[in-house]
Structure formats: C-alpha cells, structure tokens
Amino acid sequence: MNTAHEAESSNTRARFRLERGQRSLRLVAEGAWTTRDAASLDQRLREIEMGDASDAEIDGSGLERIDSAGTWLLVRTKRDWEGQGKRVGPISLPGMYSSLLHTVEHEHTAPPVVIHNRHTLPAFVERVGKATFHGMQQGTGILSYVGRVTLEWLEALYHPRGNLRVAALFHQIEETGINALPIVGLLAFLIGIVLAYQGADQLKRFGAEIFTINLLGVGLLREIAGLITAIIIAGRSGSAFTAQIGTMRVNEEIDAMQTIGINTVDALVLPRILGLAIALPLLTFYADIMGMIGGAVMCYFDLHITLPVFMRQLQEAISVNTFLVGIIKAPVFALIIGLVGCYEGLQVERNAASVGRLTTRSVVESVFLVIVLDAAFSIIFSIIGI
Amino acid sequence: MSQGRENTKGQDKDVVIRVRGLVNGFGGQLLHDHLDLDVYRGEVLGVVGGSGTGKSVLLRSIIGLNKIMSGTIEVFGKDTSTLNDHQMREIEMRWGILFQEGALFSSQTIAENIQVPLREYLKMPQELMNEIASMKISMVGLAEDAASKHPSELSGGMKKRAGLARALALDPEIVFLDEPTAGLDPISANMFDELVKDLQKSLNLTVFMVTHDLDTLRATTDRIAVLVDRKIKVGTIDELRRDPHPWIQQYFSGPRGRAAA
C-alpha cells in the first residue's frame, strides 16, 4: 500500500537524469521526490535546456516515492515545455500514484498566487487612502453615536423611572470610583511627594522654600491631580468598558438584548457614563487631598515646615476658584472616557482579536482626548481670566 | 474486534500510532484509564464518544499538546516522550493538524498561512512556495482568489478547507482532524467528507478524525474508535452496531444513527 517512510538513505535521494535522443528529450526521475527536496529540484528543473528537441517525455515510473510537491514539479515542467511548443507525452508514475497525479494535473490549473509586495509606492498610497477613509468613517461614527447617547440621555432625564437603571448606575460608581481609591490615592500621594521635592530643590536656591507650598497647591489642584486621575481612570475603566461591552458583542449578548427589546444605550452606556461622571469628580477631590498630604509629608521632612505653617501658607496660596477650576474639568473628562470606552466596545466585531485591538484603541484615544481637552481648558481659562 | 480494512499487500499492518496504557484526568477525575489504541497506516480512523469523554484530549495527547499522566504514545515507532526537540520536529514534519475552527493565523493571508510550515522547515524559493500554496488551495477545493484573502473574509467551511490546506502543506503522512464537519451545513459537510476521502486516497494519508457526525463516519472511516467507560472500543461500523454496550447501542441505533445507515 505504501512505502514505509524511513530515514533518507543515499539511493532514495531525489534526482533526475536527461536522456537526449535525436530531436527528443527524456527526463527520468528517480529516488524519492518529496517536499523536502523540492527546493533543490526546482532550480535544476528550471535550468533544463531543451535544445533542438521537439518531443519530450517525462518518465517517473522508477520513482520510489513522490508526494504532491514532487508531482507538481513534474506537472509544471511538462506545462513549461508545452508552453514552449514541444510535444510532451503523458507523465508516467508508478500505479499507486495515479490518483495523486490526476488530482494535481486536473484540479490545479490556476496560475500561482502572487504575494503582493507591501513596500511599493502604490501600496503605500493605498494604505494612506484606506487610513484616511477609515478615519473619516470613525469620525462620523462617533458623531452619530454622541447624538444618540445625548437623545437617550434627555429621554432618561424626562422619564427617569423608565430609562435610568439605578442599580446599574450604583454598581458602576462602585466599580469605577470606590474600587479605584487605592491606586488613585497612592499615585496622587507619590506625585505630591515628587512635586514637593523637586519644587523645594529649585526654590531653595532663591531662599523661597516656602513657595513650594504655593507650587503644590496651585499645581495639584488646578492641573495635576485632575489629569493624573483622568488618565488612570481612562486606563482602568475606559479599557474595562470596551472589554466588557466588546466581549458581550462577541458572545452575541448585545444582539440578544436587542431582540428581547432592551435598549442597549440605556442598559449599558448610560449607567457607565453617568456613573463615571459622578465618580471622577469625587476621585479628583480625593486625589487633591492625597496629593496635598504627600506634599505636606515631604515639606515636613525636607524643609522642616510643620503642618500649621503648611496650612497657613496653603490658605494664602489658593482660593476656592483654584479648586473649582480643577474639579470642573473632571465631569468632562469622565464624559469623554465613558463615551470613547463604550463606543469602541460597540465597534467590536465578532472575533476575539478585535476586542484586544479596540481596547488598546479606546485607551489611546481617551488619554489623547483628555490631554487635548485639558489644554483647551487652560486656553479658555486664561482667556476668561481665571 | 476484527482488523478493519485488509492490507492490500497482505503483509503485517504498519502501525503508525500506538497508544498503550494512556491515563489522563482532570481535577481528580479520570478521563482515560489505561487506554490502548493502534492506528494503521493508510486507514481513516473515526473517534467518537459522548461530550466530556476526552476525544479531543486523546488527540491533543497524541500530538503532544497535553501532558499525559502515564502511558506511552508511539508515533512512527518512536516513543514521543523520549524524543528531544530536534527529533520531535522530525515527527511534526510528518503530521498535519486541522483544528476545530481552522486556527488560521489571522494576520496572514491564506497563501501565507499555507506557507508557514514550508518556511519554518524548509529553505525554499518564494516562487516555488507560491506554486505549492496555490496547488494546495486548489487541492482542497478553494477558489484561487482565496489565496490573497485573510481568514476573517472566509466562511466557516472555507476556513476549514484552508486549515486543511495548511495541514497538508508538508505532505504529511498522518492528518489529525478535530471535528472537521462541525458547524458546516449538510451540503458543505458532504463535500468535506468527499474531499477528505479523495485526498486520503490520492495522498495515501492516515487520517485520525474526531467527529460527532454519523454521516461523516459512514462516508469516510475504515474503523471507528468509541470512547466509553474511560476505555476505547474499536471496530467497523457494523461490528459496533452489534456491540451490547448501551451507549454504543444508543449512538448507532438511535434515530440519527438509523438515518445515517
């Protein structure tokens, strides 16, 4: 039935010889023509010079073994010769390979596949075009999604009983707010320490160490605490939104909800965005406090400023406005993080790879937008003179 | 149990996979309890069994993806647990595996998928690899334009064909198929059965097939291995019909079993 596959001995190596007669050529294939030896045979077969022969013959009847790659080489050689206008007789193979020969010769007539080179100019232009088109699609997609969420929101405000899912809302506040307390607190504390240490180091040169507290107060409350909290939450909750909703898409849970008649925006998107919009300002306030504690600890150990002195200086340095300017940005950041996270989650296709891809994209987009918005706020505040 | 299909040359059967005393279990529960199995060269063996009887675990044990608790598995006469990496690669070149969902590399086109084993094991000019990929694509009955498509652009049946083409890339001697017709419509499943039969004949493959599909079993297999009571019973479909074991009786003589007869 089959020749046992043993280690290749020298007499089973793939080889062929050419017998030239008067105006005829005979290719005699011997040994085992397998995929392993296909590469070496390939080159030598292509280099065969037909000379003035008009008839050719391919004799593989002495082959010990042949597989589909070997058969393909014989078939290709035959086709090449026929392409040059030679008369080529049918390929002869041992009887047990006749069905293989038939399969390769008759079912495979297509030209070989071309693997496109991706580093050509047209390919580059194509990629740029595709990316531009995709970017525009993404833009209109987000815009129509924002519109839909706004409408649902207004409706929820109008009929809070029917459309607002209170249990889900509180769950999200716990998930995105309370569970984030340790990490946000620790990071804000460390930022406070670093800021105080670096500030003190520079201000000492002017003998103005006490103004470290002004730097801390204004820097943390206005900018840094809010920004750091938003970025942590974008990484922590924005990605979770995308992954959760995306996984539900992969499992067809979203489709199931729709067919049952549950409004997916009401059930999935609104509680998340609203929960985050409540949690993020609170977290920012918490980060303000933790950052100040970090700064106060550093001031005490590095500059020997005691807590009462610290408090007095802080009271002079900042006003309520300083705090408000920082905290007012938080709901806006929350809105962006929530919108992007949920939107990308709903964009997931029905495969696992797209969950990962869109989660990454969601985090990158929301961090980017948070920083851009922060810059925009700075400009607006400086124009209106706060 | 009888010997299944007679060897045409009448010599002793050439055993390509020999499993002896295989024990597998998870979480304190035994899946396989000293299970023995021989797979002969050139035969199509179907493996059936109820859900959770360890069909896929058996397949994964043989191909080395699952660490076995005890027993020996010999492939081409070599105990796979004693082989080093190099020797294992030699064996891996001689088998091909079609996973349930095709397991195609999603970032690569079908042609590139088929070329992965070629590129990994052999030094081959790109042109020849393209020719071989295109030949395999037509051998498994895919349209030629499938070559430049990505797996996500193919239907379930086409993915299985593409997965089979990749499994056949190195012209293996054994092909493992994990539920090849699951999730296909009956027409596609029939066509896939035909394809497996044709390729088995023309490439003289040994096929180890895990399946639930009674039609596939009837259409393609020479012998059937049934996993019951943590052991295995092997025979032709007619022999198994006469087996008194209640699960086997239900399986082959239930309404679906009779319909496929």
Side-chain angles (χ1 to χ4, degrees):
Chain A
M1 180 97 211
N2 197 334
T3 45
H5 185 116
E6 299 301 342
E8 308 273 341
S9 59
S10 59
N11 60 341
T12 64
R13 276 207 76 81
R15 60 191 184 274
F16 64 85
R17 57 195 156 80
L18 296 169
E19 291 172 359
R20 290 181 193 272
Q22 280 185 327
R23 306 185 60 75
S24 76
L25 180 69
R26 206 166 112 92
L27 186 154
V28 183
E30 285 166 328
W33 280 43
T34 61
T35 313
R36 288 174 198 232
D37 293 323
S40 67
L41 291 167
D42 175 54
Q43 197 51 38
R44 282 184 286 146
L45 282 170
R46 281 183 207 273
E47 282 164 1
I48 293 175
E49 280 296 327
M50 285 298 280
D52 57 355
S54 62
D55 285 37
E57 199 187 330
I58 296 176
D59 180 8
S61 53
L63 279 168
E64 271 175 50
R65 191 153 48 89
I66 190 165
D67 66 8
S68 66
T71 312
W72 161 248
L73 288 173
L74 292 180
V75 169
R76 189 192 70 193
T77 307
K78 178 175 179 230
R79 284 187 194 159
D80 282 352
W81 290 352
E82 281 168 346
Q84 292 169 27
K86 317 289 181 192
R87 259 181 302 149
V88 189
I91 299 170
S92 57
L93 285 184
M96 61 178 159
Y97 296 116
S98 58
S99 62
L100 173 64
L101 178 63
H102 183 269
T103 306
V104 174
E105 206 168 16
H106 293 91
E107 289 186 14
H108 179 53
T109 48
V113 290
V114 180
I115 305 260
H116 292 290
N117 185 356
R118 293 179 186 130
H119 304 292
T120 58
L121 184 63
F124 174 72
V125 173
E126 188 186 321
R127 278 205 307 279
V128 170
K130 264 189 185 161
T132 312
F133 192 72
H134 183 253
M136 280 158 57
Q137 262 186 334
Q138 179 89 352
T140 53
I142 287 190
L143 208 60
S144 67
Y145 164 78
V146 168
R148 183 169 169 214
V149 172
T150 311
L151 282 180
E152 299 284 351
W153 196 311
L154 291 176
E155 201 163 335
L157 284 180
Y158 202 63
H159 304 286
R161 250 164 223 278
N163 294 338
L164 198 62
R165 289 163 191 267
V166 180
L169 177 67
F170 280 103
H171 174 71
Q172 289 302 332
I173 292 176
E174 182 190 346
E175 203 39 47
T176 58
I178 297 171
N179 292 349
L181 285 178
I183 181 140
V184 170
L186 178 64
L187 289 183
F189 182 79
L190 292 176
I191 293 276
I193 286 181
V194 170
L195 207 60
Y197 179 73
Q198 295 297 339
D201 219 30
Q202 298 301 316
L203 291 169
K204 246 190 242 173
R205 301 182 192 185
F206 308 102
E209 299 99 303
I210 195 73
F211 288 105
T212 306
I213 298 163
N214 295 45
L215 174 78
L216 261 178
V218 176
L220 275 177
L221 295 192
R222 271 191 83 121
E223 293 291 339
I224 293 171
L227 201 58
I228 288 290
T229 313
I231 288 171
I232 295 168
I233 294 302
R236 198 182 167 276
S237 301
S239 61
F241 291 174
T242 310
Q244 287 159 359
I245 297 179
T247 311
M248 292 180 77
R249 264 209 96 84
V250 175
N251 285 340
E252 292 184 298
E253 289 171 56
I254 306 256
D255 298 341
M257 286 173 96
Q258 269 166 356
T259 54
I260 294 169
I262 299 171
N263 185 329
T264 50
V265 172
D266 279 353
L268 298 175
V269 179
L270 282 192
R272 284 186 166 77
I273 295 181
L274 204 56
L276 200 58
I278 294 170
L280 195 58
L282 296 174
L283 277 176
T284 305
F285 177 67
Y286 169 70
D288 286 345
I289 304 293
M290 292 305 284
M292 299 310 293
I293 293 175
V297 168
M298 201 62 207
C299 283
Y300 180 75
F301 285 110
D302 198 33
L303 303 172
H304 308 291
I305 297 173
T306 55
L307 193 60
V309 180
F310 184 89
M311 294 303 272
R312 196 172 340 113
Q313 181 66 24
L314 191 62
Q315 208 163 18
E316 277 174 33
I318 60 171
S319 63
V320 175
N321 265 354
T322 321
F323 167 72
L324 285 181
V325 161
I327 213 84
I328 204 137
K329 293 185 279 193
V332 183
F333 291 162
L335 212 63
I336 289 296
I337 295 167
L339 275 171
V340 170
C342 295
Y343 174 75
E344 296 299 354
L346 290 170
Q347 295 308 299
V348 166
E349 292 152 37
R350 286 209 46 211
N351 59 69
S354 81
V355 178
R357 201 179 65 241
L358 286 168
T359 305
T360 312
R361 196 161 86 190
S362 149
V363 174
V364 172
E365 275 174 359
S366 50
V367 169
F368 170 79
L369 286 174
V370 161
I371 295 176
V372 167
L373 269 178
D374 192 56
F377 269 117
S378 291
I379 295 170
I380 293 170
F381 288 145
S382 78
I383 288 173
I384 61 176
I386 299 177
Chain B
M1 290 289 156
S2 100
Q3 299 288 300
R5 188 166 68 173
E6 285 306 311
N7 191 301
T8 46
K9 279 185 183 167
Q11 33 178 244
D12 275 353
K13 277 174 187 282
D14 185 2
V15 176
V16 287
I17 302 173
R18 188 193 302 272
V19 179
R20 287 290 175 270
L22 176 69
V23 180
N24 264 317
F26 293 104
Q29 260 197 323
L30 282 186
L31 266 181
H32 305 136
D33 185 9
H34 294 90
L35 177 154
D36 298 337
L37 176 69
D38 285 336
V39 182
Y40 305 124
R41 184 177 291 281
E43 77 168 343
V44 181
L45 179 80
V47 178
V48 301
S51 301
T53 51
K55 304 181 292 290
S56 294
V57 175
L58 175 62
L59 192 157
R60 292 172 67 87
S61 300
I62 295 172
I63 60 181
L65 288 177
N66 184 54
K67 204 171 153 40
I68 61 176
M69 286 166 73
S70 78
T72 56
I73 291 169
E74 280 177 26
V75 182
F76 304 118
K78 293 181 186 110
D79 183 347
T80 51
S81 63
T82 62
L83 299 181
N84 61 26
D85 281 0
H86 176 74
Q87 292 164 320
M88 200 61 207
R89 269 171 78 91
E90 281 293 311
I91 289 200
E92 282 164 350
M93 268 188 85
R94 293 165 65 184
W95 70 36
I97 295 130
L98 169 62
F99 289 95
Q100 230 180 80
E101 305 291 331
L104 295 164
F105 303 122
S106 53
S107 59
Q108 298 181 326
T109 63
I110 301 307
E112 287 167 333
N113 259 287
I114 297 169
Q115 292 172 2
V116 168
L118 298 174
R119 198 168 280 136
E120 193 61 30
Y121 285 106
L122 304 165
K123 264 181 103 137
M124 226 183 231
Q126 183 65 43
E127 198 181 350
L128 181 62
M129 286 204 291
N130 290 353
E131 288 172 2
I132 289 181
S134 133
M135 172 184 70
K136 304 283 171 180
I137 285 170
S138 46
M139 270 173 102
V140 297
L142 282 172
E144 36 192 293
D145 64 340
S148 55
K149 284 186 177 157
H150 282 87
S152 57
E153 299 169 82
L154 299 187
S155 70
M158 287 162 83
K159 271 187 213 166
K160 294 210 169 171
R161 282 170 189 261
L164 184 61
R166 188 181 67 187
L168 294 175
L170 290 170
D171 272 286
E173 292 157 62
I174 310 177
V175 177
F176 294 91
L177 308 174
D178 193 359
E179 306 240 6
T181 53
L184 298 188
D185 66 78
I187 297 172
S188 308
N190 276 344
M191 281 161 59
F192 202 90
D193 291 346
E194 289 295 313
L195 174 68
V196 169
K197 233 168 33 182
D198 285 351
L199 289 176
Q200 191 272 334
K201 223 171 66 187
S202 57
L203 303 176
N204 195 15
L205 296 169
T206 306
V207 180
F208 181 104
M209 174 162 52
V210 172
T211 185
H212 266 306
D213 191 330
L214 278 155
D215 295 306
T216 302
L217 284 174
R218 269 207 86 78
T220 57
T221 57
D222 298 309
R223 292 191 309 152
I224 297 171
V226 190
L227 274 158
V228 279
D229 303 332
R230 300 188 285 281
K231 300 266 190 201
I232 213 159
K233 287 194 176 188
V234 191
T236 62
I237 208 162
D238 292 320
E239 288 164 359
L240 287 170
R241 265 181 213 289
R242 291 193 295 271
D243 193 289
H245 191 282
W247 192 88
I248 299 177
Q249 274 305 312
Q250 273 207 326
Y251 188 82
F252 289 103
S253 310
R256 285 162 191 270
R258 282 199 302 275

